[in-house]
Amino acid sequence: MKLLLLADIEDRGLWDYWAPEKTAGYDLIVSCGDLSPDYLEFLTTVANIPLLYVRGNHDSLYDHHPPLGCIDIDDTVYNFHGLRILGLGGSMRYHDGKDMYTEKQMHKRIRHLEGMLRFTGGFDLFVSHAPCLGFGDGKDPAHRGFACFNDLLTRWGPKYMVYGHVHASYGASFQREIIHPAGTKLINACGRYPLVLSGSDYPAEGRTGSLFYDLYIRRTHHLSV
């Protein structure tokens, strides 16, 4: 499975100078936030593949112009051919505004997902806008990561976490890939980044080991028992 990861900066090569070969071979597009809804609409249309997104801290435009044809995965676990994808958008709160959260508020969002995560047996890919505290985040309040994300990775051990918010132009605070102590590979998707998943990165569809979730997936996707 091949994913096109996006965040923060609209890539002119994919927008102004798009050509079919630039999105050929991808199965899914994932946006980590702070991107124009027109850009996301364009990409899912020309690539003719699904596009999942979470909101960044500069996506208030989505309130009246959500990216049409795209799928909002904030505060849910989305199944894509067996790949369980958890979405939690927004950044650390550094002033009053939408899509920004205190550490306590983000922890509460995660707590509300506890039942769903037990049902799905966890998740394989964590999509956020903000990074984890201490791993690829910035020193300033606006770009500090969430400590509760570290706890989330430690508890569930997903294979990957993808995020944005910290731009490549920020210098030393930008790191494209980091291995978290939980074993999760952290990927900053700023701009665009291809991610190729192997069959060992996620369970076969309906074969997670979570009894009721697997039964639900098999029935809704008409899979053999």
Side-chain angles (χ1 to χ4, degrees):
M1 186 184 297
K2 189 174 182 181
L3 279 57
L4 177 59
L5 309 177
L6 311 171
D8 300 295
I9 299 170
E10 291 81 13
D11 189 296
R12 294 186 66 192
L14 290 177
W15 203 356
D16 296 342
Y17 304 105
W18 176 83
E21 61 270 18
K22 292 185 176 181
T23 50
Y26 286 100
D27 302 292
L28 180 68
I29 302 172
V30 177
S31 168
C32 299
D34 280 0
L35 291 170
S36 162
D38 294 329
Y39 179 61
L40 301 186
E41 290 171 8
F42 172 80
L43 286 175
T44 193
T45 300
V46 296
N48 194 30
I49 56 176
L51 190 154
L52 312 180
Y53 71 91
V54 296
R55 290 169 64 128
N57 57 304
H58 297 299
D59 287 331
S60 58
L61 177 61
Y62 289 14
D63 289 345
H64 58 85
H65 181 188
L68 300 178
C70 305
I71 302 167
D72 182 356
I73 60 166
D74 253 315
D75 299 293
T76 193
V77 177
Y78 184 88
N79 173 69
F80 184 75
H81 300 298
L83 182 68
R84 296 163 297 175
I85 307 170
L86 169 65
L88 280 170
S91 75
M92 181 66 70
R93 179 174 291 279
Y94 56 94
H95 64 66
D96 289 336
K98 288 187 64 68
D99 301 310
M100 289 184 282
Y101 303 87
T102 64
E103 183 71 43
K104 184 177 180 180
Q105 288 170 332
M106 185 60 78
H107 180 71
K108 186 176 181 180
R109 288 176 70 189
I110 293 173
R111 226 175 37 243
H112 285 166
L113 290 167
E114 181 68 26
M116 181 181 296
L117 293 175
R118 287 200 302 268
F119 174 64
T120 62
F123 54 100
D124 311 294
L125 173 64
F126 177 30
V127 179
S128 67
H129 180 63
C132 297
L133 179 66
F135 297 92
D137 59 344
K139 301 296 184 184
D140 59 305
H143 295 93
R144 187 159 55 91
F146 287 101
C148 55
F149 285 176
N150 290 318
D151 297 335
L152 182 67
L153 299 185
T154 299
R155 177 170 183 186
W156 295 102
K159 190 77 173 182
Y160 297 96
M161 173 183 176
V162 299
Y163 61 94
H165 195 49
V166 178
H167 297 203
S169 61
Y170 291 178
S173 60
F174 177 82
Q175 295 174 274
R176 181 63 86 178
E177 294 185 3
I178 306 170
I179 301 300
H180 191 271
T184 303
K185 177 179 278 192
L186 313 179
I187 300 173
N188 187 325
C190 180
R192 61 169 162 165
Y193 186 86
L195 175 62
V196 179
L197 304 180
S198 68
S200 62
D201 287 335
Y202 59 97
E205 195 163 24
R207 304 288 177 182
T208 66
S210 180
L211 177 62
F212 293 109
Y213 178 66
D214 288 343
L215 182 62
Y216 166 76
I217 291 296
R218 290 175 195 171
R219 286 184 172 178
T220 54
H221 292 72
H222 307 291
L223 302 175
S224 60
V225 177

